[in-house]
Amino acid sequence: MSAAILRATKLPTSGPYPTLDPFLFCVYHSDDYPADESGGKMETTFPGNGSDFNPHAPYRMYHGQHIPGFPQHPHRGFETITATMEGLIDHADSVGNAGRYGEGDVQWMTAGGGVVHGEMFPLVHSDRPNSLRLFQIWLNLPAVSKMVQPSFAMFWNSDVPVYKTDDEKASVTVWAGDYFLEENVTQNSPPPDSWASDPSNDVAVLHITVQPGGSIVIPKANSSADINRSVYLIEGHESNVKVDGKVINEKVCLTMDATKDVPIELDQGAKEEVQFLLLQGKPINEPVAQHGPFVMNTQSEIRDAFMDYQRTQFGGWPWPKDDMVFPQDKGRFALIDGKETRPPSPPAESCSS
């Protein structure tokens, strides 16, 4: 094994990837949803069975019946980061927040003391396929923050920093973290109670792409404290990419020594690009008790979470459907604390005679 790679773990064919503290969960969704043929209902032709995670199918319905996705379900004690690359997602929650986002947008939700939300994947487009690629990541909260008020943030794709090497053969999308930020560019601020809101915790979530003939160096961690760093090869594993001088030819999770720089090189003759996800942060180092959608420090707190949810429904569900989606022509939007915003319009092209 190379100096920077501590160990390599083969990724599962489907389901969650292995993660290190402070992360709890990471799953990569890649679904080739077809064009909408339901006359604007944004539904698939064949209904789901309520639990469709078939890794060999072109797409999955997950817990959706007619629209793929995850109808309303509760969370407590951690945060969700949904980082998108392709496709659109409809979000609704028990606080009354909502949104349609995707195509590079990032949603960050602090569940805190309890929230119910749904994440659906409506077939918005009837004139082309509705391909979907995204990461769903759970970031833990320390005990002192597990019962904070829920919060919700949306970072439109135009506000997400993207670094490119001089030859443009490698790029890094900075979903979180103080890395690969050019002069006068700052990272988007995580929600105030997030473990990532303290720079000393050195949390980073990066999407790295390297084209044939390209190279890039992941710098060592900014913090001198013990930092957990995982690098996942998610696409292009047959290209024989070199990571810290070692050829990697399968989809793996690489546990890295965060005190070392990590060079990544892809031969000019490679047939396709490679893509990586990097997750890193200072460990919280607290006991983790988890049962389904609740993550606390003790089993007693898990029992309290179930009782609280049964009693209060975490504020109830204010939407007319469990699998809430918005009109087909709604476009991307975020409804936060009663105020609706939309992504900024691209600058108009200048015309010259």
Side-chain angles (χ1 to χ4, degrees), residues 3-5 217-221 229 244 256-263:
I5 301 176
V217 176
I218 304 172
K220 65 182 180 181
R229 171 181 281 184
D244 199 36
M256 312 300 294
D257 180 346
T259 66
K260 300 182 186 301
D261 292 344
V262 182

Side-chain angles (χ1 to χ4, degrees), residues 221-240:
N222 295 328
S223 174
S224 60
D226 290 337
I227 298 296
N228 284 335
R229 171 181 281 184
S230 300
V231 175
Y232 305 82
L233 175 56
I234 60 165
E235 297 286 356
H237 66 283
E238 295 181 352
S239 293
N240 291 326

